[in-house]
Amino acid sequence: MSPQQQSIARFFGGSAANVQSASSSPAKKKIKSEQSDVVIASSSVTPPPSEFKDDTDPSESEELITDKKSNKVELQQAEELINLSQVEQVKHKDEVLGAKIPYAKLTEIFDKIESESSRLKIISIVSQFFLEILQQSSIDKLVKIVYLFINRLGPDYEPDLELGLGETLLIKAISECYGRPPSKIKKDYQEVGDLGSVAQKSRSGQPTMFKPQPLDIDVVFENLTNIAKSTGKDSQSKKINIINRMLTACNIKSNEAKFLIRSLEGKLRIGLAEKTVLISLAQAFLIYESKSSKKVNPERLTQVEDIIREAFSTIPNYEVIITKAYEYGIDNLLDHCQLTPGIPLKPMLAKPTKSITEVLDRFQGEEFTCEYKYDGERAQVHLLADGTIRIYSRNSEDMSQRYPDLISILREVLNSKEAGVSMVLDCEAVAWDRTNNKILPFQVLSTRKRKDVDEKDIKVHICLFAFDLLYYNNQALITKSLNERRVIMKENLNEIEGRFQFATARNSSNLDELQQFLDQSVKDACEGLMVKMLNGKDSYYEPSKRSRNWLKLKKDYLQGVGDSLDLVVIGGYIGRGKRTGNYGGFLLASYNQDTGEYETTCKIGTGFSDEDLSTIHARLKPTEISQPKSYYVYDTNNSNAVPDVWFEPTIIFEVLTADLSLSPIYKAGHQEYGKGISLRFPRFLRIRDDKGIEDATSSTQVSEFYERQANVG
Ligand SMILES: Nc1ncnc2c1ncn2[C@@H]1O[C@H](COP(=O)(O)OP(=O)(O)OP(=O)(O)O)[C@@H](O)[C@H]1O
Ligand SMILES: [Mg+2]
Ligand SMILES: [Mg+2]
C-alpha cells in the first residue's frame, strides 16, 4: 500500500486493510432480492453471525466516532494528506480511484454544518471537504457528494432524479426496519419534529445480529437513485426494501440514519443552499490549483466563483463542470462549457420596474428595444443536429411530451432547413384562439393537460412567440448583441401566423411612444412590455441572471410594487362559513437562498374563487404534515402567524400586493432588518406550476421590492 493510500485510509477513518480490499476487490455488488435491486458494500468474507454483537464494536467506534480530540487529529491528518497528495498526486492517481468514502464521513460534515451558523465557516467546512476529495482525484465521488449536498441525484433536466418521499412511507420503513410500531414512530415524530432524528433514535436502541458492511458514498448514491427511479405497482415495497437495507447498515455511532432519512425526504435542512455549495466548489478548486491553502486572494476567488457560476448557468450539470474544471483548469473551464443543444441553459430573467420613467432613467443614453411581454409559459426550444426537437421549461424540465403540437409547429417552421442545423431559441408559448386569430389569457393555457397529451385531443392551441436566438448552426450566439441575434433569427426562420411568430418589438426612447406601445400590448392581450438593452456587451444574453439589462413593465402592477410575487404555501387555516370544508386562508413564505429556509411573509385569504379553493384543497390536503418543517421560519409566539395546519412545501402562489411593510410577526428578510417584511392586502392570482419551490421569490427580492418602494415613496 502506498503512503498515499495509507494516509487516505487514516483520514477517512478506515483501516489500511479496508482501502487495500477496496482496490483489490470490486467496490460493490448488486444483491438481487425478489423485490429490489439493493446495492450494499461487499466484502469477500462475510462474518458469520455467530453471536449477538451490537454496533459498539471498539474498532468501529475508533473508525467513525468523532469527538473534539479526534477532530484535532483529523485536521492534522488532513494537512498531511494535502501535503502528500501534492507530491504524489499524479503518481498514485489510479491507485486511489477505488478508495471508498464512508457515508459516515459525509454525515459528520452535515452535522458540523447544521450546528454552525456562520456562512463563511460553513463555506470553509464544505470547501475543505471538497478539496480533500479533489486531492485524491476522486472526481466521480466529488460529483456524487455535491449532488448529495443539494439533495439531487443528477441535473435538473434529467427526469425522475428527485427524492421527496412522503412521511407515511418513511415511517413504515423505519418501523419495519427497527421493529418499532408505526404509532410509536409517529408519536416520537410529533415530539421531535424531525423524522431523521426519530430514525436515529430508533437505530440506537437496536442491537444488530452482526455487523453490516458500512455504507459508502457510491452505495448510498446508487441506492437513492434506484429509489428515485422506481415506479410502477411494486415500487412502494421496492423502495421500502432498499431503505430497510440501508437503515440496517447505518452505523449506530454516526448520524447516518438521521441524514439518510432527511435525504429521502428531499431536504437535508442543515442550512445549506445550492448557492453556498457552488461557492465552496469554487474555493476548493482555487486552493487545489494554487496548491496552497494558506492564502486565498479574494479577488481571484471572486473571479473563480464567477467562472464556475457562469459555466453552471450554461451547462447546469455538476458532472460536466467538475470534470472539465479538473481536466482543463478553472481558467479554461468556460471554453469547455459552451452552450450545447440538448442541454437546457438557465434562462435570463428580468428586473421589475414601476414606471416608464424608471425605465427611461435606467437606459438613459443607451439604445434599447421594447417587446410585447406575452403571458404564457417560457419555452426554450432546442433543435439538435440529428433533427430531434426538445422543449424545456423555465425550470429546465423537458416539456416535449406536454407540447406535441408545438413540436409539429416547429417541424413546419424548420421544414425548409437543411439537415444538420442545430439551434436554441428562447420563446413564450401562448394560448391562441384559431377562430378569431388572437392571444388567449394565461388562464386558458393553464387548463391544458400536463401529462399524457395526445395531439389529436388538444383543444387549447398554442402560438409560439420567439424573442431570442441563442445558438445557431454550431455557434453559440450569447456573446453577440441582441440586435445581431435578432437579425440572425429573422434571417433564418419564417413566421407562420398563429403558430410561430416573432415577438412584436419597437425600438424607441420617446416617452409618449412607449406609453402608447404599452397600452397597445395590453389591448393585444399581453401583460405589458419587456425592455431590453439592444447593443454592445450589456445586451449579451446572461444565462440565469436576473439582469438590469432586461426590465419588465407590467401594466397591471404599476399601481403596486411593480410585479407580482411567487410565494411558497407552507400553512393553511381551516375554512369557515362559505369556505367550510376547504382551507379559508394560507400562510405564505419567501425562499432564503443563503440559508435554504422558508421565511413567512403573509397570510392570504383574498382573490380565490370557490373553484380555486376546492382545487387547492384537493392538492394540499395530502401534503399536510403534523409538524412545521425545521426550515420554516415563523413567529412561534404569535398565534396570528401560526396556521391551523402545516404543509410540505409543494405549491407556489402568484400573488399581488398593494405594498410592503415591516412587521413584527413575519420573517422575510428578518436577519437584515430585525423585523420581517410583510405583504399588505395580498391577493391570490394563480398557482405557478412552472416554478419549482426554490424558484419562489427570494427573501432578497422581497427586500429589494421593499427598498425600492422606500426610495420612491
Ligand atoms: N418578449 C419577451 N422577452 C422575454 N421574456 C418574455 C417575453 N414575453 C414574455 N416573456 C416571459 O416573461 C417572463 C418574465 O416575467 P414574469 O414576471 O412573467 O416572470 P416570472 O416567471 O413570474 O418571474 P421571473 O421574473 O422570476 O421569471 C419570462 O420568463 C418569459 O417567460
Ligand atoms: Mg409570465
Ligand atoms: Mg412573475
Side-chain angles (χ1 to χ4, degrees), residues 371 373-374 378 394 428 532 546 552 554 688:
E371 290 170 356
K373 184 176 187 312
Y374 298 92
R378 188 131 183 194
R394 176 194 190 284
E428 186 86 347
K532 301 176 179 178
R546 189 174 296 285
K552 44 184 169 184
K554 296 191 182 181
R688 289 286 309 250

Side-chain angles (χ1 to χ4, degrees), residues 95 176 232 501 558 698:
E95 286 175 52
E176 277 178 22
Q501 295 180 203
L558 295 183
S698 66

Side-chain angles (χ1 to χ4, degrees), residues 8-272:
I8 286 164
R10 253 184 299 134
F11 180 68
F12 284 121
S15 64
N18 259 350
V19 174
Q20 195 75 57
S21 77
S23 53
S24 58
S25 70
K28 62 203 163 206
K29 75 173 178 206
K30 279 201 170 186
I31 304 237
K32 291 270 176 206
S33 77
E34 258 176 23
Q35 294 198 311
S36 65
D37 289 349
V38 182
V39 186
I40 60 167
S42 76
S43 71
S44 41
V45 194
T46 311
S50 55
E51 55 179 55
F52 279 87
K53 188 171 163 192
D54 87 10
D55 284 357
T56 45
D57 177 326
S59 63
E60 188 176 335
S61 11
E62 218 181 276
E63 282 170 23
L64 296 170
I65 302 174
T66 28
D67 55 25
K68 285 198 179 105
K69 206 169 89 200
S70 66
N71 262 342
K72 208 168 156 192
V73 176
E74 227 178 51
L75 275 176
Q76 277 171 5
Q77 289 174 338
E79 271 164 27
E80 271 172 44
L81 177 68
I82 289 169
N83 291 337
L84 260 175
S85 53
Q86 276 165 13
V87 183
E88 298 190 77
Q89 200 167 295
V90 181
K91 202 166 131 203
H92 294 289
K93 191 170 151 182
D94 290 333
E95 286 175 52
V96 294
L97 278 178
K100 291 180 189 178
I101 300 176
Y103 181 54
K105 184 71 213 170
L106 182 66
T107 62
E108 191 187 298
I109 304 278
F110 288 165
D111 247 340
K112 278 190 195 154
I113 297 170
E114 190 173 25
S115 56
E116 181 57 69
S117 57
S118 148
R119 268 217 340 127
L120 282 181
K121 286 205 183 121
I122 292 178
I123 292 173
S124 141
I125 296 169
V126 181
S127 59
Q128 178 63 32
F129 184 49
F130 289 171
L131 178 65
E132 284 148 18
I133 317 290
L134 261 178
Q135 306 271 11
Q136 295 166 56
S137 314
S138 297
I139 298 310
D140 61 325
K141 291 186 177 58
L142 180 57
V143 172
K144 289 174 187 172
I145 285 169
V146 166
Y147 279 122
L148 290 171
F149 266 108
I150 59 165
N151 267 291
R152 280 201 56 92
L153 300 162
D156 283 358
Y157 55 89
E158 274 184 18
D160 308 325
L161 285 182
E162 253 170 286
L163 291 165
L165 305 185
E167 257 172 48
T168 323
L169 187 141
L170 291 173
I171 288 176
K172 194 161 176 233
I174 298 169
S175 149
E176 277 178 22
C177 179
Y178 298 139
R180 298 181 66 213
S183 56
K184 280 228 169 90
I185 309 269
K186 262 189 208 157
K187 190 166 162 283
D188 283 359
Y189 177 39
Q190 263 155 20
E191 270 166 29
V192 184
D194 169 29
L195 259 186
S197 304
V198 175
Q200 189 62 44
K201 187 180 143 198
S202 311
R203 174 77 186 116
S204 314
Q206 203 62 31
T208 38
M209 299 279 284
F210 59 93
K211 190 178 134 195
Q213 279 296 314
L215 293 170
D216 68 68
I217 299 293
D218 294 308
V219 162
V220 170
F221 194 84
E222 190 163 349
N223 279 325
L224 292 179
T225 309
N226 287 343
I227 291 174
K229 287 198 160 165
S230 108
T231 52
K233 77 174 174 355
D234 294 336
S235 64
Q236 215 45 6
S237 55
K238 258 191 202 163
K239 286 177 188 169
I240 290 185
N241 196 9
I242 305 178
I243 298 170
N244 266 346
R245 298 221 180 203
M246 284 200 287
L247 283 178
T248 311
C250 282
N251 185 284
I252 200 161
K253 293 292 178 192
S254 76
N255 268 332
E256 287 175 310
K258 172 166 123 187
F259 290 110
L260 189 60
I261 290 293
R262 289 192 187 172
S263 284
L264 288 160
E265 283 180 296
K267 184 93 180 153
L268 274 183
R269 64 186 91 151
I270 51 175
L272 180 77

Side-chain angles (χ1 to χ4, degrees), residues 272-536:
L272 180 77
E274 185 165 355
K275 200 169 131 188
T276 311
V277 175
L278 264 180
I279 294 174
S280 308
L281 199 57
Q283 200 152 314
F285 267 106
L286 177 59
I287 300 174
Y288 175 71
E289 283 191 0
S290 65
K291 309 230 181 295
S292 146
S293 56
K294 298 284 177 289
K295 248 201 229 146
V296 174
N297 174 343
E299 269 170 40
R300 175 70 180 145
L301 179 60
T302 314
Q303 200 184 15
V304 173
E305 278 173 25
D306 286 348
I307 292 175
I308 296 238
R309 214 174 285 130
E310 192 178 333
F312 187 73
S313 51
T314 317
I315 304 266
N317 181 324
Y318 286 106
E319 192 178 350
V320 176
I321 305 293
I322 291 172
T323 317
K324 302 283 183 198
Y326 180 74
E327 271 176 33
Y328 300 101
I330 288 288
D331 289 320
N332 300 314
L333 178 61
L334 291 174
D335 292 340
H336 296 273
C337 288
Q338 295 286 343
L339 177 51
T340 311
I343 301 182
L345 67 163
K346 301 264 168 205
M348 179 167 174
L349 303 170
K351 290 237 184 216
T353 40
K354 279 184 62 140
S355 65
I356 295 183
T357 13
E358 196 184 331
V359 170
L360 290 175
D361 283 351
R362 156 71 187 101
F363 286 121
Q364 217 172 26
E366 308 280 354
E367 229 184 315
F368 59 89
T369 180
C370 300
E371 290 170 356
Y372 275 10
K373 184 176 187 312
Y374 298 92
D375 194 8
E377 185 166 11
R378 188 131 183 194
Q380 197 181 92
V381 172
H382 289 235
L383 170 68
L384 281 59
D386 67 0
T388 312
I389 297 173
R390 296 226 182 94
I391 302 166
Y392 295 101
S393 71
R394 176 194 190 284
N395 215 13
S396 303
E397 266 170 47
D398 192 335
M399 306 196 289
S400 314
Q401 309 289 335
R402 228 167 78 205
Y403 285 115
D405 48 339
L406 262 189
I407 303 270
S408 303
I409 291 174
L410 287 160
R411 293 232 173 278
E412 238 179 287
V413 175
L414 302 167
N415 206 6
S416 53
K417 290 262 148 294
E418 68 273 29
V421 169
S422 47
M423 71 173 87
V424 178
L425 261 179
D426 206 352
C427 316
E428 186 86 347
V430 180
W432 182 262
D433 176 349
R434 285 195 177 168
T435 319
N436 302 304
N437 266 343
K438 60 172 200 192
I439 290 174
L440 293 167
F442 176 85
Q443 282 70 14
V444 179
L445 181 73
S446 67
T447 61
R448 272 180 65 121
K449 267 174 62 178
R450 297 179 75 81
K451 273 191 189 134
D452 308 319
V453 182
D454 191 336
E455 194 170 353
K456 61 181 187 311
D457 300 333
I458 290 173
K459 303 230 163 38
V460 174
H461 296 290
I462 303 283
C463 179
L464 193 65
F465 287 91
F467 52 79
D468 217 324
L469 182 65
L470 313 181
Y471 188 98
Y472 190 77
N473 226 357
N474 296 321
Q475 200 194 355
L477 305 177
I478 54 178
T479 48
K480 287 191 181 295
S481 73
L482 173 58
N483 210 5
E484 289 170 281
R485 299 199 299 272
R486 238 190 217 166
V487 169
I488 302 175
M489 174 169 81
K490 294 190 172 175
E491 266 175 12
N492 289 288
L493 297 169
N494 294 318
E495 292 183 296
I496 307 174
E497 214 216 327
R499 285 162 204 263
F500 178 81
Q501 295 180 203
F502 299 124
T504 303
R506 181 168 301 178
N507 305 352
S508 163
S509 49
N510 176 293
L511 194 135
D512 290 336
E513 272 187 60
L514 282 187
Q515 182 64 54
Q516 198 199 0
F517 195 49
L518 176 64
D519 294 341
Q520 190 58 44
S521 75
V522 175
K523 281 191 198 123
D524 291 341
C526 290
E527 279 185 294
L529 302 176
M530 289 292 273
V531 191
K532 301 176 179 178
M533 195 66 94
L534 190 60
N535 289 305

